[in-house]
Amino acid sequence: MTTTPDTLLAALEASSMLEIDGLHAWDFSLGEALNVECMDGRERKVWRFTLDQVKAAVFDESLQSWVVNDGNADHRIVCLDAFTPSDEDDADEA
């Protein structure tokens, strides 16, 4: 059984992919703010959350997602660890 990190910041640091408002986003960065970008069909979607907004996020146990408010609306974030293949050749094949 895995445990949920205590904060969204901790969850983001261990994630390689996010789901935000039902859309999968591989392109996100965490610095002075959380920036998330993804494509919804042909439409580019962008979210920006301040560190204070990220720190104020609450985990919704029933939906297994973080709820973060950008000042206008609540957004649901699911932190995922996507599988990424290695660029290195398998040592057994050599």
Side-chain angles (χ1 to χ4, degrees), residues 23 36-40 43-47:
L23 300 169
V36 183
E37 293 184 33
C38 71
M39 294 298 291
D40 184 9
E43 183 181 352
R44 179 176 170 249
K45 301 251 181 167
V46 178
W47 295 264

Side-chain angles (χ1 to χ4, degrees), residues 49-70:
F49 304 99
T50 66
L51 283 181
D52 287 338
Q53 291 168 336
V54 171
K55 290 176 184 176
V58 208
F59 189 73
D60 182 338
E61 191 73 38
S62 64
L63 295 175
Q64 295 293 298
S65 61
W66 293 92
V67 179
V68 60
N69 188 292
D70 66 0

Side-chain angles (χ1 to χ4, degrees), residues 6-94:
D6 293 334
T7 66
L8 177 55
L9 272 176
L12 289 167
E13 289 173 355
S15 299
S16 56
M17 186 171 72
L18 301 179
E19 180 183 304
I20 182 164
D21 296 342
L23 300 169
H24 287 91
W26 287 269
D27 192 9
F28 71 96
S29 62
L30 180 61
E32 293 184 19
L34 171 61
N35 297 297
V36 183
E37 293 184 33
C38 71
M39 294 298 291
D40 184 9
R42 292 184 177 184
E43 183 181 352
R44 179 176 170 249
K45 301 251 181 167
V46 178
W47 295 264
R48 180 178 169 88
F49 304 99
T50 66
L51 283 181
D52 287 338
Q53 291 168 336
V54 171
K55 290 176 184 176
V58 208
F59 189 73
D60 182 338
E61 191 73 38
S62 64
L63 295 175
Q64 295 293 298
S65 61
W66 293 92
V67 179
V68 60
N69 188 292
D70 66 0
N72 297 315
D74 286 343
H75 300 277
R76 292 206 172 266
I77 296 178
V78 178
C79 296
L80 305 167
D81 189 18
F83 173 77
T84 53
S86 172
D87 286 339
E88 297 177 18
D89 291 334
D90 189 357
D92 293 337
E93 290 180 13

